[in-house]
């Protein structure tokens, strides 16, 4: 008597499972599509958060990608019965991100494009080497001259951010960096090099330089540092034997890849065409993008001089 309900229950279970199964060959096609959709964001996240061993032909990234594909293919084949649920959940998450401004389809596509572009590029990192423990020249005067919290400096920085690069697609995550690059474009375009008075080291304040956009490399560096700091960026100044220039902190490797893409493909396309992006990596592994006025675009070539000191404005 007890066996009858059990026998009656099994066909019902099997009938219910039928609705979760997809007929062949569509089951394998769905597994492949889902694999690709999941692999891309996972690969982007891992790629951005591991060190680059600089293997030839990007073999490390190729192996990483194929490994993710293989593992996911194995797991998905074992989970065919719930593929419909997984697909629906995944698509709903991306649709929600697209509609409500989170991580959606466009963000996935942009990140993947940036990653592929960065893997194909040949940026020029350079470890910062301080060969002599020299005090930064005119350090106190320069710190005072930055004037990042003066209304005239802050207001000019704000106006500049509304002048350039205001319609970059999907740029909210990198807004502050893009605004700093707008400041570089404005100041570098206007800057007129003028020597200091004979026999004197003259340090112009940021507000003073805004009147004429003229002065030497010290004055340019002070103005750039003041404007970038006024909008929340982190600048620093590099001192060489005969030169001074500003740099800007790039938070991490993933952001650097995005910045390289923006400079070369969106913001400074003509100026950087066929050129390389240069930056320093300091003793703490922090990334600093070159903003020297001698370069026509952010990340342009360094002056070939030995670095003697640095002054960072946190």
């Amino acid at each position: 008597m007890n066996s009858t309900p059990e026998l009656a229950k099994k066909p019902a279970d099997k009938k219910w499972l039928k609705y979760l199964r997809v007929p062949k060959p569509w089951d394998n096609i769905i597994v492949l599509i889902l694999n690709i959709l999941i692999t891309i964001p996972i690969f982007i996240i891992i790629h951005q958060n591991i060190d680059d061993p600089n293997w030839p032909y990007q073999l490390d990234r190729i192996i990483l990608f194929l490994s993710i594909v293989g593992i996911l293919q194995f797991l998905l084949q074992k989970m065919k019965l719930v593929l419909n649920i997984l697909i629906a959940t995944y698509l709903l998450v991306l649709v929600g991100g697209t509609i409500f401004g989170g991580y959606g389809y466009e963000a996935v596509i942009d990140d993947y494009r940036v990653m592929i572009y960065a893997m194909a590029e040949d940026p020029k990192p350079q470890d910062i080497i301080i060969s002599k423990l020299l005090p930064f020249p005119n350090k106190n005067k320069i710190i005072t001259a930055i004037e990042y919290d003066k209304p005239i400096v802050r207001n000019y920085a704000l106006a500049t951010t509304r002048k350039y690069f205001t319609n970059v697609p999907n740029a909210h995550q990198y807004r502050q960096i893009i605004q700093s690059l707008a400041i570089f474009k404005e100041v570098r375009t206007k800057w007129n090099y003028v020597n200091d008075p004979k026999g004197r080291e003259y340090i112009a304040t940021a507000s003073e330089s805004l009147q004429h956009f003229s002065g030497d490399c010290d004055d340019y560096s002070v103005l750039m540092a003041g404007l970038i700091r006024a909008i929340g960026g982190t600048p620093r100044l590099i001192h060489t034997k005969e030169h001074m220039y500003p740099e800007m902190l790039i938070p991490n490797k993933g952001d650097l890849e995005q910045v390289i893409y923006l400079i070369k493909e969106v913001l400074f396309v003509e100026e950087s065409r066929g050129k390389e992006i240069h930056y320093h990596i300091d003793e703490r592994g922090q990334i600093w993008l070159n903003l020297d006025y001698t370069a026509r675009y952010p990340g342009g070539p360094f002056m070939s001089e030995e670095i003697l000191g640095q002054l960072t404005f946190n």
Side-chain angles (χ1 to χ4, degrees), residues 94-107:
L94 289 183
V95 168
T98 302
I99 295 174
F100 299 107
Y103 195 75
Y105 289 105
E106 290 184 3

Side-chain angles (χ1 to χ4, degrees), residues 132-240:
K132 301 175 183 178
L133 295 177
L134 298 177
F136 202 91
N138 301 300
K139 178 178 178 180
N140 292 332
K141 285 185 179 180
I142 288 173
I143 292 174
T144 302
I146 294 293
E147 295 184 330
Y148 69 94
D149 55 352
K150 275 202 170 183
I152 187 174
V153 177
R154 164 76 175 170
N155 290 339
Y156 191 85
L158 296 182
T160 300
T161 64
R162 298 177 62 86
K163 187 174 180 180
Y164 301 103
F165 315 145
T166 56
N167 296 313
V168 179
N170 302 313
H172 59 279
Q173 184 178 350
Y174 302 98
R175 183 183 297 110
Q176 192 277 319
I177 292 176
I178 293 172
Q179 290 171 346
S180 296
L181 299 183
I183 288 172
F184 169 84
K185 184 177 180 69
E186 170 80 354
V187 177
R188 196 261 171 199
T189 301
K190 288 185 172 182
W191 194 254
N192 174 46
Y193 190 91
V194 177
N195 289 328
D196 284 339
K198 188 174 182 179
R200 181 185 172 191
E201 183 67 37
Y202 187 89
I203 305 294
T205 64
S207 57
E208 185 180 355
S209 291
L210 286 176
Q211 298 179 40
H212 304 290
F213 288 92
S214 297
D216 64 1
C217 58
D218 299 359
D219 304 323
Y220 167 84
S221 299
V222 165
L223 178 58
M224 281 293 298
L227 292 172
I228 290 176
R229 196 175 183 195
I231 62 167
T234 302
R236 76 171 181 180
L237 304 183
I238 296 295
H239 162 53
T240 69

Side-chain angles (χ1 to χ4, degrees), residues 12-24:
D13 287 345
K14 290 181 179 180
K15 186 176 180 181
W16 180 79
L17 290 174
K18 274 186 174 182
Y19 292 104
L20 292 177
R21 289 195 177 95
V22 178
K24 295 182 178 296

